Amino acid sequence: MSVEVSRLTQALELGMNEQEYRNVLEILGREPTGTELAMYSVEWSEHCGYPRSRPLLRMLPKAGKYPTIAEEDAGGIAIGDGLYVVFKMESHNHPSQVEPKQGAATGIGGIIRDIFTMGARPVALLDSLRFGELDTDLGKHLLQGVVDGIQFYGNCVGVPTVGGEIYFHQSYRDNCLVNVMCVGIAREGQLATSKARGVGNPVYVVGNRTGRDGIGGCSILASHEFSEDDQKRPTVQIGDPFTEKCLIEATLEMLASGAVVAIKDMGAAGITCSTAEMAAAGGVGMDVDLAKVPMREKGMEPWEIMMSESQERMLVVVEHGREAEVEAIFEKWGLIAENIGAVIAEPVMRVRFSGEIVAEVPCASLAAAPVYHLPAEEPAWLAPLQQTDLSALPDVADGNAALLALLSSPNIASKRWAFEQYDHMVQTNTTVPPGAGDAAVIRIKGSELGLGLTADCNSRYCYLDPYLGAQIAVAEAARNLVCVGADPAAVTDCLNFGNPEKPDRFWQLKRAVEGIAAACTALKVPVVSGNVSLYNEGPDAAVFPTPTIGMVGVLQRIDQHCTMGFKQSGHQVALVGVTRPELGGSEYLAVQHGLEAGMPPALDLNAEVAVQHVVLEAIRRGLVASAHDCAEGGLAVTLAESAIAGNLGVSVALTSVEGRADMALFAESQSRIVISFDQRQTHALAALAEEMGADFHLIGSVGGDRVTILVDGAQQVNLPLDTVTAAYHTPLYAAMGEA
Amino acid sequence: MKFGVVIFPGSNCDADCHDAILAVTRQEVRYVWHEETGISDIDCIVLPGGFSYGDYLRCGAVARFSPVMGEIVRHAAVGRFVIGICNGFQVLTEAGLLPGALYRNDCLKFVCTPQPLRVERTDLPFTHFYAPRQVVDFPIAHGEGRFFADPETLARIEGEGQVVFRYCTPDGQVTAEANPNGSLHNIAGICNAGGNVLGLMPHPERRCDRLTGGTDGKKLFKGLVESLLLRSISRR
């Protein structure tokens, strides 16, 4: 076999295609070395270089109500008071399917590093999780493992896990989704950059030693779909939260010293990615000697060192002459800080190993992955599915049973089993904890400002219509923020889709990105950071298209926050918004009729904006006592959840929709919020709604120890609050064998 | 009065304790790095929660060998105050400043939740602002908080009245259902025989602000400041 053929074989094994290999030949004008080939394979993988999704991502708006910071490891916004919020969501799906505890744990570690590498102190975590059915052994095993990984890592590093979501659906059976979001706060002058500069400045590896874990994790594990008999365990990294905690403190202390020129997290593709991208961003080059990298084991090859995804490491360009300061800080925290090379003027990555040059490539070529414009095609099965005739379905026969079935559906039931395993209070900023509101609220010490935080996506809607579903994900995230009193401010997205090389999957991705772009533009919220996770497929099918939306909102005054629980007997209950005749894609349809069909509920972005304005303004003026978005399960579930959270009964009277009670109770029409308030505020609220052009209907009152709902005067639901509460709170404990 | 909050590598409630004590007492509060040995300026040393040394080996087992611990033992011996919260409590039992040990929760999970406690002693500097048998809410957040002691030690702790807080129901009943981790006798916090060293698994520093869940923890720190003040006045 000739050298070229064997190198090509090697390239294919590393996940590259033949054309990409030819491109490398052209760039270098010669055969690549093994190390060089490894570097290109990871940098051009979907996980690092986004060659397949980049053309779509340009559609997303980058500017909004608040000044935006983008183009670093994470994005952010300036919120006033000299404060910056930096945040990002990232997936760790494939590692979690293979090894759920370490997969989730290292996902948390990685996203936290993305935040503090920007000079921001991590203040909150959220996770959006999706598994196969909860009544399967695999589903339980993955849920248990992932939650264990999140608590193992998040609790130890002292960053509170304040929110998130958990859904179960068979499409995730062979490919769970673990999307983790971290939020950090930096003050004026604290933001750091990853742009390397200053010829002669030393380059340091800091944090942990480098081992053989996670080699090729991004190119092999994250950029291909799962097939039947995969052996991928060695590509999952192992996390050490104690080292991460020390690394957070050491890094922030080092950044405060002013001795740092540039810094970047070593995540996917380890040293390769961090060196090449820092140099490329700064328009300079780097010359590093891998023999100087502190190793965990002996005999590692240069390409292994370049590709290792050992956790808890950062790459730092230090100002020449201030090396001792940096080394002293890391010594204090018991961490490694090793000078492995320097910034050079020539824009190349020169990699040595014990004197020998093992790689020398132009930095820009590594950072500029090829771009693919893939064909998109609407799947043929979609239109018939959307047009499913739902009018022939019988109306709800037993409202009590239907409501209890929905409340105990794993997708709606309380997630307390998970979030009480997370330290959601550390840092003493958690103002609205998990389970208390539609979003989490944290305060910012020393400021009147607060942050609302949420992560949302209804992937069934995206399956039925990726454009509309993605729009709804954005609208619902914003609505959730409004319900806690936060002004929706900016988005991070995590796009989980199937194999983009299949035109129907790529169509879903394309339509979803268009939907996000349209909704974000209408709501004036920019997308400041994000992550794309493709190839989420098992042997049978792709996951439901899942564009998870992480959104951050701003409370101008933290004391003006709101929760979802009813507060007082005698308070009035009103619906802001309108219930429409739409059962398509609803949880009710899935639970009661075993159907996942029809069109998702319609979304009128103007109506959405009006409803959000009314409720946000009402909360700011102190007019309302509780606010809760209508989502899965519709109005009946929303009312029950507010009753459960407030431990107070509720009694309401609704009118049927097109003569049907099921639609009044369980339709998932968008742009609806249930509020409760003192009777004396009724007039002010009605006037506010009219002024903003939103619908406002008084539907009942808080009180008693039952949940009672009439439709057209007929009793549809009449249940003791205790029964409703038990149905909502026990399912996850019961499924996990703890009830 | 001056407080010192110790930072071990892996501590993660150090800033919470610092900020809460400062806000509640308006006294001087400074951080004490675990390698420091000059703490004679400090009246009350606080060992905060977290995962010192990653809780590797055993919670608190490595931290007790930090240089500052020798000083803290001397500090306690002369009657100065020590508070260990959560991981800090674990460190105090490892260091022998408090009896007993903290085992893995009987539910085998980390549990983070609001938690009612009954104040069992109100004659201590830490608790004299509370009413006898008052029920307070200090949240818990731990995986290894099951208080254990051999029968003899347990009898001594009970006999000497060293139990300061017990897990209870919201109306103050000490029952098995109210016990979140399987602690013997629902013990959530104890003091030493001298009453100047307090260790507890729940977090009073997380209940010092109305905005973040309540203010039941304030009286612990305020009470301490006042008793020290009274003590220094009576000395004069």
Side-chain angles (χ1 to χ4, degrees):
Chain A
M1 208 186 331
S2 74
V3 174
E4 184 178 334
V5 171
S6 71
R7 278 275 183 262
L8 174 59
T9 312
Q10 209 180 344
L12 297 177
E13 278 168 6
L14 287 166
M16 297 175 87
N17 62 37
E18 191 172 340
Q19 183 55 48
E20 286 168 345
Y21 177 71
R22 302 277 162 220
N23 291 354
V24 172
L25 287 181
E26 196 174 316
I27 290 165
L28 299 180
R30 59 174 167 80
E31 282 288 317
T33 66
T35 303
E36 287 167 343
L37 200 55
M39 290 163 68
Y40 280 104
S41 79
V42 289
E43 278 297 293
W44 289 2
S45 70
E46 189 56 39
H47 194 77
C48 294
Y50 298 138
R52 290 158 191 88
S53 51
R54 224 176 334 146
L56 299 180
L57 301 179
R58 294 195 189 109
M59 286 189 275
L60 300 171
K62 291 285 166 215
K65 303 177 209 178
Y66 296 82
T68 306
I69 322 152
E71 324 239 315
E72 290 286 348
D73 274 354
I77 50 171
I79 59 168
D81 267 10
L83 293 166
Y84 296 88
V85 186
V86 175
F87 59 99
K88 186 181 184 184
M89 188 167 5
E90 210 163 62
S91 64
H92 233 218
N93 306 337
H94 286 176
S96 301
Q97 183 77 20
V98 175
E99 211 295 274
K101 179 174 177 177
Q102 287 300 336
T106 53
I108 300 283
I111 197 66
I112 292 175
R113 285 193 298 283
D114 275 337
I115 300 307
F116 71 79
T117 193
M118 290 197 48
R121 176 168 285 278
V123 295
L125 289 165
L126 297 91
D127 10 74
S128 169
L129 312 177
R130 284 174 175 76
F131 304 98
E133 304 93 321
L134 183 57
D135 56 7
T136 60
D137 287 344
L138 180 61
K140 289 193 224 304
H141 160 74
L142 291 173
L143 172 66
Q144 182 91 54
V146 166
V147 169
D148 195 30
I150 294 168
Q151 69 86 18
F152 158 73
Y153 208 101
N155 294 351
C156 183
V157 295
V159 181
T161 299
V162 298
E165 49 173 11
I166 307 179
Y167 285 98
F168 303 91
H169 187 271
Q170 62 180 29
S171 80
Y172 304 109
R173 193 184 289 167
D174 299 308
N175 194 128
C176 66
L177 301 187
V178 175
N179 293 179
V180 293
M181 172 172 165
C182 185
V183 182
I185 291 178
R187 290 171 203 280
E188 196 79 59
Q190 289 179 334
L191 287 175
T193 176
S194 68
K195 294 182 179 73
R197 57 178 171 75
V199 172
N201 279 333
V203 176
Y204 275 77
V205 171
V206 302
N208 228 335
R209 289 174 183 273
T210 299
R212 282 199 172 92
D213 46 336
I215 290 175
C218 64
S219 55
I220 297 167
L221 193 51
S223 299
H224 293 274
E225 63 198 74
F226 283 116
S227 55
E228 286 292 354
D229 51 344
D230 273 340
Q231 292 295 322
K232 286 177 173 161
R233 198 171 305 269
T235 48
V236 178
Q237 317 87 333
I238 306 296
D240 174 1
F242 169 60
T243 297
E244 177 102 342
K245 170 63 177 163
C246 294
L247 186 58
I248 295 174
E249 301 305 331
T251 301
L252 293 178
E253 198 173 320
M254 168 180 73
L255 288 170
S257 76
V260 174
V261 173
I263 179 167
K264 190 172 176 71
D265 161 42
M266 278 194 214
I271 296 180
T272 303
C273 186
S274 52
T275 51
E277 291 182 11
M278 285 181 79
V284 292
M286 272 188 201
D287 186 330
V288 299
D289 186 350
L290 298 180
K292 292 182 180 165
V293 175
M295 245 82 81
R296 191 182 292 156
E297 52 200 295
K298 285 187 180 149
M300 282 180 72
E301 299 283 327
W303 70 271
E304 291 180 306
I305 301 168
M306 287 301 281
M307 296 197 27
S308 163
E309 294 185 7
S310 289
Q311 299 290 291
E312 294 94 23
R313 299 179 302 160
M314 317 278 278
L315 195 77
V316 187
V317 176
V318 175
E319 195 178 311
H320 180 62
R322 302 188 68 178
E323 294 86 344
E325 282 173 67
V326 167
E327 288 170 13
I329 290 168
F330 280 83
E331 191 184 337
K332 173 186 161 192
W333 287 98
L335 296 170
I336 281 159
E338 196 64 45
N339 182 342
I340 63 162
V343 174
I344 56 174
E346 195 186 347
V348 298
M349 263 313 305
R350 188 172 297 133
V351 183
R352 303 169 193 270
F353 188 63
S354 303
E356 182 196 351
I357 293 178
V358 293
E360 183 165 338
V361 302
C363 294
S365 71
L366 282 169
V371 174
Y372 298 116
H373 296 274
L374 299 176
E377 189 181 303
E378 182 175 332
W381 49 261
L382 186 57
L385 190 65
Q386 290 175 335
Q387 287 151 19
T388 308
D389 179 15
L390 303 173
S391 65
L393 290 174
D395 200 349
V396 60
D398 182 343
N400 285 337
L403 177 59
L404 292 176
L406 280 168
L407 288 170
S408 53
S409 151
N411 288 336
I412 291 177
S414 160
K415 305 302 183 292
R416 182 185 286 171
W417 174 84
F419 69 68
E420 77 175 6
Q421 297 185 54
Y422 307 145
D423 190 339
H424 49 265
M425 307 170 187
V426 66
Q427 298 194 16
T428 52
N429 294 321
T430 310
T431 304
V432 177
D438 285 7
V441 175
I442 60 169
R443 68 165 165 191
I444 301 169
K445 282 178 191 167
S447 163
E448 289 220 320
L449 297 171
L451 296 179
L453 308 170
T454 186
D456 292 285
C457 180
N458 182 318
S459 63
R460 188 184 287 133
Y461 295 168
C462 298
Y463 161 71
L464 294 171
D465 185 334
Y467 179 78
L468 181 52
Q471 282 197 321
I472 290 175
V474 173
E476 193 196 337
R479 210 181 307 133
N480 284 335
L481 292 175
V482 161
C483 285
V484 296
D487 178 28
V491 165
T492 179
D493 61 350
C494 191
L495 307 173
N496 308 269
F497 289 80
N499 180 349
E501 294 156 45
K502 300 178 183 172
D504 56 340
R505 271 64 153 174
F506 191 71
W507 179 83
Q508 292 177 324
L509 173 64
K510 179 166 172 282
R511 291 297 286 157
V513 174
E514 287 166 358
I516 294 172
C520 285
T521 303
L523 298 173
K524 300 188 175 67
V525 288
V527 180
V528 300
S529 61
N531 166 244
V532 181
S533 172
L534 305 178
Y535 303 94
N536 290 291
E537 305 217 6
D540 300 327
V543 297
F544 270 6
T546 313
T548 312
I549 301 297
M551 203 182 287
V552 171
V554 178
L555 291 93
Q556 289 303 322
R557 283 184 46 191
I558 183 69
D559 55 347
Q560 293 172 338
H561 64 271
C562 189
T563 54
M564 72 185 203
F566 293 136
K567 300 296 180 304
Q568 201 177 310
S569 238
H571 275 182
Q572 297 293 295
V573 178
L575 174 67
V576 184
V578 189
T579 307
R580 299 181 192 285
E582 39 197 11
L583 285 180
S586 65
E587 188 73 14
Y588 170 77
L589 206 56
V591 168
Q592 209 65 29
H593 296 286
L595 273 178
E596 297 186 291
M599 275 299 285
L603 179 68
D604 173 346
L605 284 165
N606 292 325
E608 182 71 46
V609 168
V611 166
Q612 290 188 16
H613 275 170
V614 170
V615 174
L616 187 57
E617 187 58 29
I619 292 172
R620 283 178 177 164
R621 290 191 202 165
L623 302 177
V624 301
S626 75
H628 188 19
D629 159 50
C630 286
E632 288 86 359
L635 188 49
V637 164
T638 305
L639 289 163
E641 286 175 342
S642 287
I644 294 164
N647 197 26
L648 284 167
V650 64
S651 174
V652 306
L654 309 175
T655 47
S656 62
V657 177
E658 292 192 340
R660 295 183 66 121
D662 55 2
M663 290 193 185
L665 295 167
F666 307 120
E668 295 176 10
S669 295
Q670 294 299 299
S671 318
R672 293 183 304 164
I673 295 172
V674 168
I675 57 174
S676 71
F677 47 88
D678 187 297
Q679 196 167 355
R680 286 167 293 187
Q681 311 298 353
T682 312
H683 180 71
L685 283 164
L688 183 62
E690 188 171 346
E691 182 191 329
M692 307 272 189
D695 285 275
F696 176 86
H697 311 273
L698 280 173
I699 56 173
S701 60
V702 176
D705 55 4
R706 301 184 77 81
V707 173
T708 312
I709 306 176
L710 307 181
V711 180
D712 295 342
Q715 191 171 283
Q716 287 289 344
V717 174
N718 184 0
L719 289 163
L721 181 58
D722 288 349
T723 307
V724 172
T725 301
Y728 179 71
H729 275 304
T730 44
L732 255 67
Y733 290 94
M736 302 312 285
E738 291 173 27
Chain B
M1 174 170 188
K2 195 179 203 175
F3 287 86
V5 179
V6 178
I7 304 177
F8 298 104
S11 292
N12 67 25
C13 300
D14 45 335
D16 299 359
C17 287
H18 177 279
D19 297 351
I21 294 169
L22 185 64
V24 168
T25 67
R26 298 177 194 282
Q27 302 292 307
E28 206 177 326
V29 192
R30 76 168 177 93
Y31 289 114
V32 178
W33 182 243
H34 72 114
E35 289 175 323
E36 207 177 304
T37 49
I39 58 166
S40 57
D41 58 319
I42 288 167
D43 300 295
C44 178
I45 276 278
V46 178
L47 279 68
F51 290 70
S52 57
Y53 294 94
D55 277 355
Y56 297 147
L57 186 60
R58 198 171 61 238
C59 301
V62 182
R64 64 157 293 208
F65 293 107
S66 283
V68 76
M69 286 310 296
E71 293 306 309
I72 290 175
V73 170
R74 279 185 280 278
H75 170 99
V78 299
R80 291 177 181 229
F81 297 113
V82 181
I83 304 176
I85 301 167
C86 202
N87 192 231
F89 183 17
Q90 294 163 341
V91 175
L92 290 177
T93 61
E94 286 288 339
L97 281 172
L98 288 173
L102 285 314
Y103 285 6
R104 184 114 175 90
N105 294 350
D106 62 352
C107 61
L108 304 179
K109 291 193 299 184
F110 186 101
V111 181
C112 177
T113 186
Q115 175 64 51
L117 306 173
R118 196 171 75 190
V119 185
E120 300 290 279
R121 272 186 71 175
T122 52
D123 59 337
L124 294 170
F126 307 106
T127 56
H128 66 116
F129 272 14
Y130 295 102
R133 298 172 89 75
Q134 183 179 340
V135 177
V136 295
D137 164 39
F138 297 173
I140 54 167
H142 60 249
E144 310 196 15
R146 175 160 64 99
F147 184 80
F148 180 83
D150 60 70
E152 206 176 295
T153 308
L154 188 63
R156 196 175 67 241
I157 293 169
E158 290 285 4
E160 300 290 318
Q162 286 174 242
V163 178
V164 184
F165 297 101
R166 275 186 228 273
Y167 301 113
C168 68
T169 61
D171 60 352
Q173 305 301 308
V174 173
T175 65
E177 291 70 41
N179 189 339
N181 54 23
S183 289
L184 290 177
H185 295 196
N186 284 38
I187 290 172
I190 57 171
C191 63
N192 64 347
N196 63 315
V197 179
L198 171 72
L200 72 169
M201 288 311 296
H203 288 269
E205 83 281 11
R206 296 187 183 186
R207 284 295 181 264
C208 288
D209 195 321
R210 183 186 52 80
L211 200 57
T212 49
T215 54
D216 281 358
K218 281 184 167 182
K219 285 181 176 170
L220 193 153
F221 301 110
K222 280 190 166 168
L224 188 57
V225 172
E226 183 171 287
S227 34
L228 201 78
L229 210 64
L230 291 175
R231 198 184 280 188
S232 65
I233 292 168
S234 67
R235 266 197 211 123
R236 250 178 250 156

